[in-house]
Amino acid sequence: MSTMTVDNTLRDRAVAAVATVDDPEIPGVSIVDLGLLETVTTTADGTVAIGLIPTFSGCPALAMIAADVEAAVTLLPEVGEVTVEWLRSPVWTIERVTDDARRTMATNLTLAVRADSGPTPCPRCDSPTVEKSEFGPSRCRAVHRCDSCLEVIEVMRDR
Amino acid sequence: MGRTWSSMHDFEVFLHGGGMVEVDDDMPDEYRAAVFRFIELHANSELMGGLTERDWIPRTPGLRHKMAVLAKTQDEIGHGHLLYMVAADLGVKTRQEMLEDLFAGHSRFHNVFHYPARTWGDQVAICLLVDGAAVPSQKSVYKDCSYGPYKRILKRIIAEEGFHLRLGEERALRIAQGTDTQRAMFQQSIDDWWWPALRLFGPDSKPDDRLARWRLKSEKNEVMRAGWVQKFVPMLHSYGFTVPDPGLTHDPETDVWTCGPIDWGPLKKTMAMDGPDTARRIAEASAAWETTRWVRDALDAAPAGAVT
C-alpha cells in the first residue's frame, strides 16, 4: 500500500492512522506493514471506509484489530463516520509483509517469514532452518529449528 | 562447543557483567539444572493451561469468544511445544521424559492449574486474574534473563499473553454489563480465583535468591504481587464487584491497596500435587496424550518426506 503522496489528503491521513495500529501479538509491527490494509475509501463529507484482509480467517484478533483501527481513524480531525470491514478477498500472502516488518520481526522477536523457495534462513545467524511443526502458537506460524545455532524459531506462513 | 568457565565464581562474574548463556555453552551443572527446572515448569504449565482452554471450546458462548478460545488453546499448546524443545536442548531430560514425569505426577505445574474451571465466569476470571499475574511474572523473568534461548522465546510469549490479557479485560467488562445472574456468576468466580491467582507469585522472595543472582528473575515476588493487587482491586471495584479479602486495606493518602494476610497452605498442597483438581487434571492430560499416540506412531513410521 503506497502512502508516498505529498498532499495531505484525508485518505493519506487515514492510511497513516491505520499504520499506527500494531498487530496485537507482534508489538512494534504495524498491520499495514503486515499487508492487512487493502482498501481506504473516503468521501467529501469525511466518511472513511477501511477494508482489511486477515492473515487467516480464523484469527482471534480480528475484532480487536478492527476496533483499534476504528479508534485510530476516528481520532483524526474532520472525520465523520468510520467503518472497518474484513474483506474475503484477496487472500493474504506473506509477500505482502514489508521488508521493514521482516527486519523488525527478525531482530526483535526472532520471527522469520517463510522463504519463497528453499529453507527459511535463521533470523539470528542466517543458516538454513528445518520445519519441526507446521503448527506454532498461531494459525499463521510454524515452528522451525536452526541447524547451525540450534535456535527454536517461529516462521510466519500463509499456507 | 561454546564457552567454558573454570569455576562457579567465574561464571557468576560473567552473569553479573550482563553475559548471556547460550545452548552450546559449557554452563555449570547447578545453573543448567535450575534453568531446566524453570523452563520445564513453564512448559508443563502451558500444556496444562492449554488443556483447560481446550475443555472450554465447545462450551464457550458466542462464535467470537469461541474463536478466541480455540486460538488461545493453540497459543498455549504452541508455547508448550517451543518450551519443551528449549528445555530438552539442555540435555537434562528428553521431551518424552518430561511428559512422562508430568503425567505420572512427578513434576510440577503452576498452582492455578490445580483448580477446576466450572463456569464461563471462571474462564473470564482466569483470563483476567491469572493471565494478569502471568504477564508481570514472565516480564520479570524476561527483563534480565541470562539464558538466551529462553529469553528470546519469552519475548514472543509475553506479546501473546498480553493479547490474552486484553481479551480478559474485554470479557470482564462485558460480563460486568450483563444480567444479575451473569454478574453473580462472575462474583463467585472472583471469590474462587482471587487467592489462587494471587498465590501464583509465590511467597516473599528470600534475600539471597539464587535465581535472582543468576538473572532468571529480576523482580521480587512481593513487589509483583503488590502491583497486581493495585491493578485489579480498583478495576473490580469500579465494575461493582468485591474482592474476597477481609484484610484488604486502602491508604487514602497514596491510594495504594494492600492485601491482608496470605494463607500459603493451599499453595503447599498444590506443590505437593494435592490440589482440588490435581488428580483429574493429570488424568485428563495423560488421557489426551494416550489417545493421540496413534498419530505420533503413524508419523514415526512414515518414511522421510511422506508427511508434509
Short mmCIF file of all heavy atoms in Angstrom, two decimals, chain B residues 105-168:
data_model
loop_
_atom_site.label_atom_id
_atom_site.label_comp_id
_atom_site.label_asym_id
_atom_site.label_seq_id
_atom_site.Cartn_x
_atom_site.Cartn_y
_atom_site.Cartn_z
N GLY B 105 2.70 -37.44 37.61
CA GLY B 105 2.60 -36.58 38.80
C GLY B 105 3.94 -36.33 39.47
O GLY B 105 4.01 -35.94 40.63
N HIS B 106 5.04 -36.54 38.71
CA HIS B 106 6.37 -36.37 39.29
C HIS B 106 6.98 -34.99 39.06
O HIS B 106 8.01 -34.68 39.62
CB HIS B 106 7.34 -37.42 38.72
CG HIS B 106 7.00 -38.80 39.14
ND1 HIS B 106 7.40 -39.92 38.43
CD2 HIS B 106 6.29 -39.27 40.20
CE1 HIS B 106 6.94 -41.01 39.03
NE2 HIS B 106 6.26 -40.63 40.10
N SER B 107 6.36 -34.19 38.19
CA SER B 107 6.92 -32.86 38.00
C SER B 107 5.81 -31.83 38.11
O SER B 107 4.63 -32.13 37.90
CB SER B 107 7.66 -32.76 36.67
OG SER B 107 6.78 -32.97 35.61
N ARG B 108 6.21 -30.60 38.42
CA ARG B 108 5.23 -29.60 38.81
C ARG B 108 4.70 -28.76 37.65
O ARG B 108 5.32 -28.66 36.62
CB ARG B 108 5.87 -28.65 39.82
CG ARG B 108 5.97 -29.28 41.18
CD ARG B 108 6.72 -28.35 42.11
NE ARG B 108 6.89 -28.99 43.39
CZ ARG B 108 7.76 -28.59 44.30
NH1 ARG B 108 8.54 -27.56 44.06
NH2 ARG B 108 7.86 -29.22 45.44
N PHE B 109 3.53 -28.18 37.90
CA PHE B 109 3.00 -27.13 37.05
C PHE B 109 2.37 -26.09 37.97
O PHE B 109 2.15 -26.37 39.15
CB PHE B 109 2.00 -27.69 36.03
CG PHE B 109 0.93 -28.59 36.59
CD1 PHE B 109 -0.30 -28.09 36.95
CD2 PHE B 109 1.17 -29.96 36.76
CE1 PHE B 109 -1.29 -28.92 37.47
CE2 PHE B 109 0.19 -30.79 37.29
CZ PHE B 109 -1.04 -30.28 37.64
N HIS B 110 2.10 -24.90 37.46
CA HIS B 110 1.70 -23.79 38.32
C HIS B 110 0.41 -24.08 39.11
O HIS B 110 -0.49 -24.76 38.63
CB HIS B 110 1.52 -22.51 37.50
CG HIS B 110 2.82 -21.86 37.14
ND1 HIS B 110 3.81 -21.65 38.07
CD2 HIS B 110 3.30 -21.40 35.97
CE1 HIS B 110 4.84 -21.08 37.48
NE2 HIS B 110 4.57 -20.92 36.20
N ASN B 111 0.35 -23.51 40.30
CA ASN B 111 -0.76 -23.75 41.24
C ASN B 111 -2.14 -23.52 40.64
O ASN B 111 -3.08 -24.23 40.95
CB ASN B 111 -0.59 -22.87 42.48
CG ASN B 111 -0.87 -21.41 42.21
OD1 ASN B 111 -0.41 -20.84 41.22
ND2 ASN B 111 -1.65 -20.78 43.07
N VAL B 112 -2.26 -22.51 39.76
CA VAL B 112 -3.59 -22.15 39.24
C VAL B 112 -4.20 -23.26 38.37
O VAL B 112 -5.41 -23.27 38.16
CB VAL B 112 -3.54 -20.84 38.43
CG1 VAL B 112 -3.37 -19.65 39.35
CG2 VAL B 112 -2.42 -20.87 37.40
N PHE B 113 -3.36 -24.18 37.89
CA PHE B 113 -3.90 -25.27 37.07
C PHE B 113 -4.25 -26.49 37.91
O PHE B 113 -4.45 -27.58 37.37
CB PHE B 113 -2.93 -25.60 35.93
CG PHE B 113 -2.63 -24.39 35.08
CD1 PHE B 113 -1.36 -23.88 34.99
CD2 PHE B 113 -3.65 -23.76 34.40
CE1 PHE B 113 -1.09 -22.76 34.24
CE2 PHE B 113 -3.40 -22.62 33.63
CZ PHE B 113 -2.11 -22.12 33.55
N HIS B 114 -4.30 -26.31 39.23
CA HIS B 114 -4.73 -27.38 40.13
C HIS B 114 -6.17 -27.16 40.60
O HIS B 114 -6.63 -27.83 41.51
CB HIS B 114 -3.81 -27.44 41.35
CG HIS B 114 -2.42 -27.93 41.05
ND1 HIS B 114 -2.02 -29.23 41.30
CD2 HIS B 114 -1.35 -27.32 40.49
CE1 HIS B 114 -0.75 -29.37 40.93
NE2 HIS B 114 -0.32 -28.23 40.43
N TYR B 115 -6.85 -26.16 39.99
CA TYR B 115 -8.23 -25.85 40.40
C TYR B 115 -9.18 -26.07 39.23
O TYR B 115 -8.78 -25.91 38.07
CB TYR B 115 -8.32 -24.37 40.84
CG TYR B 115 -7.54 -24.07 42.09
CD1 TYR B 115 -6.18 -23.80 42.04
CD2 TYR B 115 -8.16 -24.10 43.34
CE1 TYR B 115 -5.45 -23.54 43.19
CE2 TYR B 115 -7.45 -23.83 44.49
CZ TYR B 115 -6.09 -23.56 44.42
OH TYR B 115 -5.38 -23.31 45.55
N PRO B 116 -10.44 -26.44 39.51
CA PRO B 116 -11.38 -26.65 38.41
C PRO B 116 -11.95 -25.32 37.87
O PRO B 116 -12.18 -24.40 38.66
CB PRO B 116 -12.50 -27.48 39.06
CG PRO B 116 -12.45 -27.11 40.51
CD PRO B 116 -11.02 -26.75 40.82
N ALA B 117 -12.14 -25.25 36.56
CA ALA B 117 -12.85 -24.11 35.95
C ALA B 117 -14.26 -24.59 35.67
O ALA B 117 -14.48 -25.34 34.73
CB ALA B 117 -12.14 -23.67 34.68
N ARG B 118 -15.20 -24.16 36.52
CA ARG B 118 -16.55 -24.74 36.45
C ARG B 118 -17.50 -23.98 35.53
O ARG B 118 -18.40 -24.56 34.95
CB ARG B 118 -17.17 -24.77 37.85
CG ARG B 118 -16.46 -25.68 38.83
CD ARG B 118 -17.26 -25.78 40.14
NE ARG B 118 -16.54 -26.56 41.12
CZ ARG B 118 -15.70 -26.05 42.01
NH1 ARG B 118 -15.49 -24.75 42.04
NH2 ARG B 118 -15.08 -26.83 42.88
N THR B 119 -17.33 -22.67 35.47
CA THR B 119 -18.30 -21.85 34.73
C THR B 119 -17.56 -20.93 33.74
O THR B 119 -16.34 -20.76 33.82
CB THR B 119 -19.09 -20.93 35.68
OG1 THR B 119 -18.17 -20.00 36.28
CG2 THR B 119 -19.78 -21.73 36.78
N TRP B 120 -18.34 -20.29 32.85
CA TRP B 120 -17.75 -19.31 31.93
C TRP B 120 -17.17 -18.15 32.76
O TRP B 120 -16.14 -17.58 32.41
CB TRP B 120 -18.80 -18.82 30.94
CG TRP B 120 -18.28 -17.70 30.07
CD1 TRP B 120 -18.73 -16.42 30.04
CD2 TRP B 120 -17.20 -17.77 29.12
NE1 TRP B 120 -18.00 -15.68 29.13
CE2 TRP B 120 -17.06 -16.49 28.56
CE3 TRP B 120 -16.35 -18.79 28.71
CZ2 TRP B 120 -16.09 -16.19 27.59
CZ3 TRP B 120 -15.37 -18.49 27.74
CH2 TRP B 120 -15.26 -17.21 27.20
N GLY B 121 -17.80 -17.85 33.87
CA GLY B 121 -17.28 -16.82 34.77
C GLY B 121 -15.86 -17.17 35.23
O GLY B 121 -14.99 -16.30 35.32
N ASP B 122 -15.64 -18.46 35.51
CA ASP B 122 -14.29 -18.90 35.91
C ASP B 122 -13.30 -18.65 34.78
O ASP B 122 -12.17 -18.21 35.01
CB ASP B 122 -14.28 -20.40 36.24
CG ASP B 122 -14.92 -20.70 37.60
OD1 ASP B 122 -15.41 -19.74 38.24
OD2 ASP B 122 -14.93 -21.87 38.01
N GLN B 123 -13.73 -18.93 33.55
CA GLN B 123 -12.84 -18.72 32.40
C GLN B 123 -12.48 -17.24 32.27
O GLN B 123 -11.35 -16.89 31.94
CB GLN B 123 -13.50 -19.22 31.11
CG GLN B 123 -13.41 -20.72 30.91
CD GLN B 123 -11.97 -21.19 30.84
OE1 GLN B 123 -11.39 -21.59 31.84
NE2 GLN B 123 -11.37 -21.11 29.67
N VAL B 124 -13.46 -16.38 32.51
CA VAL B 124 -13.21 -14.93 32.43
C VAL B 124 -12.25 -14.52 33.55
O VAL B 124 -11.29 -13.77 33.33
CB VAL B 124 -14.52 -14.13 32.49
CG1 VAL B 124 -14.24 -12.63 32.48
CG2 VAL B 124 -15.43 -14.49 31.33
N ALA B 125 -12.48 -15.04 34.75
CA ALA B 125 -11.61 -14.71 35.89
C ALA B 125 -10.18 -15.19 35.64
O ALA B 125 -9.22 -14.49 35.96
CB ALA B 125 -12.17 -15.32 37.17
N ILE B 126 -10.05 -16.38 35.04
CA ILE B 126 -8.72 -16.91 34.74
C ILE B 126 -8.02 -16.01 33.72
O ILE B 126 -6.87 -15.63 33.88
CB ILE B 126 -8.82 -18.37 34.20
CG1 ILE B 126 -9.29 -19.31 35.31
CG2 ILE B 126 -7.49 -18.83 33.62
CD1 ILE B 126 -9.73 -20.68 34.81
N CYS B 127 -8.77 -15.67 32.66
CA CYS B 127 -8.21 -14.85 31.59
C CYS B 127 -7.79 -13.47 32.12
O CYS B 127 -6.86 -12.86 31.62
CB CYS B 127 -9.27 -14.71 30.50
SG CYS B 127 -8.61 -14.38 28.87
N LEU B 128 -8.50 -13.00 33.15
CA LEU B 128 -8.19 -11.68 33.71
C LEU B 128 -7.14 -11.79 34.82
O LEU B 128 -6.06 -11.19 34.74
CB LEU B 128 -9.47 -11.06 34.27
CG LEU B 128 -9.33 -9.62 34.79
CD1 LEU B 128 -9.17 -8.65 33.63
CD2 LEU B 128 -10.55 -9.23 35.63
N LEU B 129 -7.45 -12.56 35.86
CA LEU B 129 -6.61 -12.55 37.06
C LEU B 129 -5.36 -13.41 36.91
O LEU B 129 -4.28 -13.03 37.37
CB LEU B 129 -7.43 -13.01 38.28
CG LEU B 129 -8.67 -12.16 38.59
CD1 LEU B 129 -9.46 -12.78 39.75
CD2 LEU B 129 -8.26 -10.73 38.94
N VAL B 130 -5.51 -14.59 36.30
CA VAL B 130 -4.34 -15.48 36.15
C VAL B 130 -3.40 -14.95 35.06
O VAL B 130 -2.20 -14.82 35.28
CB VAL B 130 -4.78 -16.94 35.87
CG1 VAL B 130 -3.57 -17.80 35.55
CG2 VAL B 130 -5.52 -17.50 37.07
N ASP B 131 -3.96 -14.61 33.89
CA ASP B 131 -3.10 -14.04 32.85
C ASP B 131 -2.53 -12.70 33.33
O ASP B 131 -1.41 -12.33 32.99
CB ASP B 131 -3.86 -13.87 31.53
CG ASP B 131 -4.12 -15.22 30.85
OD1 ASP B 131 -3.54 -16.22 31.31
OD2 ASP B 131 -4.90 -15.27 29.89
N GLY B 132 -3.31 -11.99 34.14
CA GLY B 132 -2.85 -10.73 34.70
C GLY B 132 -1.70 -10.92 35.68
O GLY B 132 -0.96 -9.98 35.95
N ALA B 133 -1.57 -12.10 36.24
CA ALA B 133 -0.42 -12.41 37.11
C ALA B 133 0.71 -13.02 36.30
O ALA B 133 1.89 -12.78 36.58
CB ALA B 133 -0.85 -13.38 38.22
N ALA B 134 0.36 -13.78 35.27
CA ALA B 134 1.39 -14.45 34.45
C ALA B 134 2.23 -13.42 33.67
O ALA B 134 3.44 -13.56 33.57
CB ALA B 134 0.74 -15.44 33.49
N VAL B 135 1.57 -12.40 33.15
CA VAL B 135 2.30 -11.42 32.32
C VAL B 135 3.41 -10.71 33.10
O VAL B 135 4.56 -10.74 32.68
CB VAL B 135 1.33 -10.43 31.62
CG1 VAL B 135 2.09 -9.31 30.95
CG2 VAL B 135 0.48 -11.17 30.58
N PRO B 136 3.12 -10.10 34.29
CA PRO B 136 4.24 -9.48 35.03
C PRO B 136 5.30 -10.49 35.48
O PRO B 136 6.50 -10.15 35.49
CB PRO B 136 3.56 -8.82 36.24
CG PRO B 136 2.17 -9.30 36.28
CD PRO B 136 1.82 -9.80 34.92
N SER B 137 4.89 -11.72 35.83
CA SER B 137 5.88 -12.73 36.23
C SER B 137 6.83 -13.03 35.07
O SER B 137 8.05 -13.08 35.24
CB SER B 137 5.21 -14.04 36.63
OG SER B 137 4.36 -13.84 37.71
N GLN B 138 6.24 -13.23 33.88
CA GLN B 138 7.06 -13.56 32.72
C GLN B 138 7.93 -12.37 32.32
O GLN B 138 9.08 -12.54 31.93
CB GLN B 138 6.18 -13.99 31.54
CG GLN B 138 5.55 -15.36 31.78
CD GLN B 138 4.48 -15.69 30.77
OE1 GLN B 138 4.15 -14.89 29.91
NE2 GLN B 138 3.91 -16.88 30.89
N LYS B 139 7.38 -11.16 32.46
CA LYS B 139 8.18 -9.98 32.14
C LYS B 139 9.37 -9.87 33.07
O LYS B 139 10.46 -9.47 32.66
CB LYS B 139 7.32 -8.71 32.24
CG LYS B 139 6.49 -8.46 31.00
CD LYS B 139 5.76 -7.13 31.09
CE LYS B 139 4.99 -6.85 29.82
NZ LYS B 139 3.97 -5.81 30.00
N SER B 140 9.15 -10.23 34.33
CA SER B 140 10.23 -10.15 35.31
C SER B 140 11.35 -11.14 34.97
O SER B 140 12.52 -10.85 35.16
CB SER B 140 9.68 -10.42 36.71
OG SER B 140 10.58 -11.16 37.49
N VAL B 141 10.97 -12.30 34.44
CA VAL B 141 11.98 -13.28 34.03
C VAL B 141 12.67 -12.79 32.76
O VAL B 141 13.90 -12.80 32.64
CB VAL B 141 11.36 -14.67 33.79
CG1 VAL B 141 12.42 -15.67 33.35
CG2 VAL B 141 10.65 -15.17 35.03
N TYR B 142 11.87 -12.30 31.82
CA TYR B 142 12.40 -11.88 30.53
C TYR B 142 13.41 -10.73 30.65
O TYR B 142 14.49 -10.76 30.04
CB TYR B 142 11.24 -11.44 29.60
CG TYR B 142 11.73 -10.64 28.43
CD1 TYR B 142 12.38 -11.27 27.37
CD2 TYR B 142 11.61 -9.26 28.40
CE1 TYR B 142 12.88 -10.54 26.31
CE2 TYR B 142 12.11 -8.52 27.35
CZ TYR B 142 12.75 -9.17 26.31
OH TYR B 142 13.25 -8.44 25.28
N LYS B 143 13.05 -9.73 31.46
CA LYS B 143 13.75 -8.46 31.51
C LYS B 143 15.28 -8.61 31.54
O LYS B 143 15.99 -7.95 30.80
CB LYS B 143 13.28 -7.69 32.75
CG LYS B 143 13.39 -6.18 32.61
CD LYS B 143 12.61 -5.51 33.74
CE LYS B 143 13.48 -4.52 34.50
NZ LYS B 143 12.89 -4.14 35.78
N ASP B 144 15.77 -9.48 32.42
CA ASP B 144 17.22 -9.57 32.60
C ASP B 144 17.68 -11.03 32.44
O ASP B 144 18.73 -11.40 32.94
CB ASP B 144 17.57 -9.03 33.99
CG ASP B 144 19.05 -8.72 34.10
OD1 ASP B 144 19.66 -8.41 33.06
OD2 ASP B 144 19.60 -8.80 35.22
N CYS B 145 16.87 -11.85 31.76
CA CYS B 145 17.13 -13.30 31.70
C CYS B 145 18.51 -13.60 31.12
O CYS B 145 18.88 -13.09 30.06
CB CYS B 145 16.04 -13.96 30.85
SG CYS B 145 16.20 -15.74 30.73
N SER B 146 19.26 -14.46 31.79
CA SER B 146 20.64 -14.74 31.37
C SER B 146 20.70 -15.89 30.36
O SER B 146 21.75 -16.12 29.76
CB SER B 146 21.50 -15.09 32.59
OG SER B 146 20.98 -16.24 33.23
N TYR B 147 19.61 -16.63 30.19
CA TYR B 147 19.65 -17.76 29.25
C TYR B 147 19.00 -17.35 27.93
O TYR B 147 17.77 -17.21 27.82
CB TYR B 147 18.97 -19.00 29.86
CG TYR B 147 19.18 -20.22 29.00
CD1 TYR B 147 20.47 -20.66 28.71
CD2 TYR B 147 18.11 -20.92 28.45
CE1 TYR B 147 20.69 -21.76 27.89
CE2 TYR B 147 18.32 -22.03 27.64
CZ TYR B 147 19.62 -22.44 27.36
OH TYR B 147 19.83 -23.52 26.55
N GLY B 148 19.84 -17.17 26.90
CA GLY B 148 19.41 -16.60 25.62
C GLY B 148 18.22 -17.28 24.96
O GLY B 148 17.25 -16.60 24.61
N PRO B 149 18.25 -18.62 24.76
CA PRO B 149 17.15 -19.25 24.03
C PRO B 149 15.80 -19.05 24.72
O PRO B 149 14.76 -18.88 24.06
CB PRO B 149 17.54 -20.74 24.04
CG PRO B 149 19.02 -20.74 24.15
CD PRO B 149 19.36 -19.56 25.03
N TYR B 150 15.81 -19.04 26.07
CA TYR B 150 14.56 -18.85 26.82
C TYR B 150 14.12 -17.39 26.70
O TYR B 150 12.94 -17.12 26.47
CB TYR B 150 14.80 -19.23 28.28
CG TYR B 150 13.56 -19.24 29.16
CD1 TYR B 150 12.33 -19.69 28.68
CD2 TYR B 150 13.62 -18.81 30.48
CE1 TYR B 150 11.21 -19.71 29.50
CE2 TYR B 150 12.50 -18.82 31.30
CZ TYR B 150 11.30 -19.28 30.81
OH TYR B 150 10.19 -19.29 31.62
N LYS B 151 15.06 -16.48 26.84
CA LYS B 151 14.73 -15.04 26.77
C LYS B 151 14.06 -14.70 25.43
O LYS B 151 13.07 -13.99 25.39
CB LYS B 151 15.99 -14.20 26.96
CG LYS B 151 15.73 -12.69 26.96
CD LYS B 151 17.02 -11.90 27.13
CE LYS B 151 16.80 -10.41 26.94
NZ LYS B 151 16.42 -9.70 28.16
N ARG B 152 14.60 -15.24 24.34
CA ARG B 152 14.06 -14.89 23.03
C ARG B 152 12.66 -15.46 22.81
O ARG B 152 11.80 -14.84 22.18
CB ARG B 152 15.04 -15.33 21.94
CG ARG B 152 16.33 -14.51 21.95
CD ARG B 152 17.25 -14.85 20.80
NE ARG B 152 17.86 -16.17 20.91
CZ ARG B 152 19.01 -16.44 21.54
NH1 ARG B 152 19.68 -15.48 22.13
NH2 ARG B 152 19.48 -17.67 21.59
N ILE B 153 12.41 -16.66 23.36
CA ILE B 153 11.07 -17.24 23.22
C ILE B 153 10.09 -16.52 24.14
O ILE B 153 8.94 -16.26 23.77
CB ILE B 153 11.12 -18.76 23.47
CG1 ILE B 153 11.62 -19.42 22.20
CG2 ILE B 153 9.75 -19.30 23.86
CD1 ILE B 153 11.80 -20.90 22.28
N LEU B 154 10.58 -16.17 25.34
CA LEU B 154 9.72 -15.45 26.29
C LEU B 154 9.19 -14.15 25.69
O LEU B 154 8.05 -13.76 25.95
CB LEU B 154 10.51 -15.10 27.55
CG LEU B 154 10.37 -16.02 28.75
CD1 LEU B 154 11.22 -15.47 29.89
CD2 LEU B 154 8.92 -16.16 29.20
N LYS B 155 10.02 -13.49 24.91
CA LYS B 155 9.60 -12.21 24.34
C LYS B 155 8.35 -12.38 23.47
O LYS B 155 7.42 -11.60 23.53
CB LYS B 155 10.74 -11.60 23.52
CG LYS B 155 10.48 -10.15 23.15
CD LYS B 155 11.70 -9.48 22.60
CE LYS B 155 11.44 -8.00 22.38
NZ LYS B 155 12.58 -7.32 21.77
N ARG B 156 8.34 -13.46 22.68
CA ARG B 156 7.16 -13.72 21.85
C ARG B 156 5.98 -14.15 22.71
O ARG B 156 4.83 -13.77 22.46
CB ARG B 156 7.48 -14.79 20.81
CG ARG B 156 8.55 -14.38 19.81
CD ARG B 156 8.53 -15.29 18.60
NE ARG B 156 8.82 -16.68 18.90
CZ ARG B 156 10.03 -17.23 18.82
NH1 ARG B 156 11.06 -16.51 18.44
NH2 ARG B 156 10.21 -18.51 19.11
N ILE B 157 6.27 -14.99 23.72
CA ILE B 157 5.19 -15.47 24.58
C ILE B 157 4.52 -14.30 25.30
O ILE B 157 3.29 -14.22 25.38
CB ILE B 157 5.72 -16.51 25.60
CG1 ILE B 157 6.11 -17.80 24.86
CG2 ILE B 157 4.68 -16.80 26.68
CD1 ILE B 157 6.66 -18.90 25.76
N ILE B 158 5.32 -13.37 25.80
CA ILE B 158 4.78 -12.22 26.52
C ILE B 158 3.86 -11.40 25.61
O ILE B 158 2.79 -10.96 26.03
CB ILE B 158 5.93 -11.35 27.09
CG1 ILE B 158 6.60 -12.09 28.26
CG2 ILE B 158 5.41 -9.99 27.54
CD1 ILE B 158 7.93 -11.48 28.69
N ALA B 159 4.28 -11.23 24.35
CA ALA B 159 3.44 -10.47 23.41
C ALA B 159 2.08 -11.14 23.26
O ALA B 159 1.04 -10.48 23.22
CB ALA B 159 4.14 -10.37 22.06
N GLU B 160 2.08 -12.48 23.23
CA GLU B 160 0.82 -13.20 23.04
C GLU B 160 -0.01 -13.24 24.31
O GLU B 160 -1.24 -13.14 24.27
CB GLU B 160 1.10 -14.60 22.50
CG GLU B 160 1.81 -14.49 21.17
CD GLU B 160 2.05 -15.80 20.47
OE1 GLU B 160 1.63 -16.86 20.99
OE2 GLU B 160 2.67 -15.76 19.41
N GLU B 161 0.67 -13.36 25.47
CA GLU B 161 -0.08 -13.35 26.73
C GLU B 161 -0.70 -11.98 26.95
O GLU B 161 -1.77 -11.86 27.55
CB GLU B 161 0.84 -13.72 27.91
CG GLU B 161 1.36 -15.16 27.89
CD GLU B 161 0.29 -16.23 28.08
OE1 GLU B 161 -0.80 -15.90 28.58
OE2 GLU B 161 0.54 -17.39 27.71
N GLY B 162 -0.02 -10.94 26.47
CA GLY B 162 -0.57 -9.58 26.59
C GLY B 162 -1.89 -9.48 25.83
O GLY B 162 -2.83 -8.82 26.27
N PHE B 163 -1.95 -10.18 24.72
CA PHE B 163 -3.17 -10.23 23.92
C PHE B 163 -4.28 -10.98 24.69
O PHE B 163 -5.43 -10.56 24.72
CB PHE B 163 -2.86 -10.89 22.57
CG PHE B 163 -4.06 -11.24 21.75
CD1 PHE B 163 -4.93 -10.26 21.29
CD2 PHE B 163 -4.32 -12.56 21.41
CE1 PHE B 163 -6.03 -10.59 20.52
CE2 PHE B 163 -5.41 -12.91 20.64
CZ PHE B 163 -6.28 -11.92 20.20
N HIS B 164 -3.91 -12.08 25.37
CA HIS B 164 -4.88 -12.82 26.19
C HIS B 164 -5.45 -11.91 27.28
O HIS B 164 -6.64 -11.94 27.58
CB HIS B 164 -4.25 -14.04 26.86
CG HIS B 164 -3.73 -15.05 25.91
ND1 HIS B 164 -2.93 -16.10 26.30
CD2 HIS B 164 -3.91 -15.18 24.57
CE1 HIS B 164 -2.62 -16.82 25.24
NE2 HIS B 164 -3.20 -16.28 24.18
N LEU B 165 -4.55 -11.13 27.88
CA LEU B 165 -4.97 -10.27 28.97
C LEU B 165 -5.97 -9.21 28.46
O LEU B 165 -6.96 -8.90 29.13
CB LEU B 165 -3.75 -9.61 29.61
CG LEU B 165 -3.98 -8.75 30.84
CD1 LEU B 165 -4.74 -9.52 31.91
CD2 LEU B 165 -2.64 -8.28 31.40
N ARG B 166 -5.72 -8.69 27.27
CA ARG B 166 -6.67 -7.74 26.69
C ARG B 166 -8.03 -8.40 26.48
O ARG B 166 -9.07 -7.80 26.71
CB ARG B 166 -6.16 -7.22 25.33
CG ARG B 166 -5.29 -5.99 25.44
CD ARG B 166 -4.99 -5.40 24.06
NE ARG B 166 -6.13 -4.70 23.47
CZ ARG B 166 -6.08 -4.12 22.28
NH1 ARG B 166 -4.96 -4.15 21.56
NH2 ARG B 166 -7.14 -3.51 21.78
N LEU B 167 -8.00 -9.68 26.03
CA LEU B 167 -9.25 -10.43 25.88
C LEU B 167 -9.95 -10.56 27.22
O LEU B 167 -11.16 -10.42 27.33
CB LEU B 167 -8.97 -11.83 25.34
CG LEU B 167 -8.76 -12.02 23.85
CD1 LEU B 167 -8.42 -13.47 23.57
CD2 LEU B 167 -10.01 -11.63 23.08
N GLY B 168 -9.16 -10.84 28.28
CA GLY B 168 -9.71 -11.00 29.62
C GLY B 168 -10.37 -9.72 30.10
O GLY B 168 -11.47 -9.74 30.68
#
